[in-house]
């Protein structure tokens, strides 16, 4: 697992991603954020512990996890499954747990939901209360 901030175009802390209500319908939303350095692929998922965000790139092929399908959330909302080769990653920390995902991880993007219901990139160094 790398630091998403090391990738070109990574959105800075505070960057708005989307309204949290946008995740209610399917629990998955793939989007691209442009912070001025080009499009940055983000995957938002609504897991059992709430929303989580990852760089939308499979660590094996550099293809979006949603390349073949947006149906990447497991039925129990605990895993993200790559639509290319079914590798599974835990939503709570991005670590690979099944298939080709074992031994690697997704790049986690820390997020927070503000008072207006907007999902924003959080400061990775901020202490969680």
């Amino acid at each position: 697992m790398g630091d998403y901030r090391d990738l070109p175009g990574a959105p800075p802390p505070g960057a708005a991603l989307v309204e949290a209500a946008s995740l209610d319908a399917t629990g998955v939303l793939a989007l691209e954020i442009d912070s001025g350095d080009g499009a940055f692929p983000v995957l938002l998922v609504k897991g059992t512990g709430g929303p989580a965000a990852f760089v939308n790139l499979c660590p094996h092929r550099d293809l979006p996890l949603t390349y073949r399908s947006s149906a990447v959330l497991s039925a129990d909302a605990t895993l993200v499954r790559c639509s290319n080769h079914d590798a599974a990653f835990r939503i709570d920390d991005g670590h690979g747990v099944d298939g080709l995902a074992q031994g690697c991880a997704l790049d986690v993007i820390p997020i927070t939901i503000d008072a207006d219901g907007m999902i924003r990139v959080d400061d990775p160094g901020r202490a969680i209360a």
Side-chain angles (χ1 to χ4, degrees):
M1 176 169 34
D3 188 326
Y4 82 96
R5 296 171 294 177
D6 293 337
L7 299 171
L17 298 179
V18 70
E19 291 183 13
S22 299
L23 280 175
D24 287 345
T26 64
V28 177
L29 185 60
L31 54 126
E32 291 187 340
I33 302 299
D34 191 343
S35 300
D37 290 326
F40 189 85
V42 176
L43 179 68
L44 291 166
V45 295
K46 188 174 183 182
T48 56
F54 304 97
V55 176
N56 190 12
L57 288 175
C58 175
H60 304 105
R61 296 270 187 213
D62 284 335
L63 289 171
L65 295 158
T66 54
Y67 183 72
R68 294 182 188 264
S69 171
S70 62
V72 296
L73 186 63
S74 66
D76 64 359
T78 61
L79 300 173
V80 170
R81 289 203 170 267
C82 177
S83 66
N84 296 298
H85 47 66
D86 205 35
F89 304 87
R90 288 190 307 236
I91 289 175
D92 62 351
D93 60 9
H95 286 283
V97 294
D98 189 33
L100 294 175
Q102 294 181 50
C104 63
L106 299 176
D107 293 333
V108 176
I109 302 171
I111 57 172
T112 189
I113 302 175
D114 70 15
D116 295 324
M118 180 66 66
I119 297 175
R120 294 185 177 275
V121 176
D122 201 1
D123 181 354
R126 186 173 74 91
I128 305 297

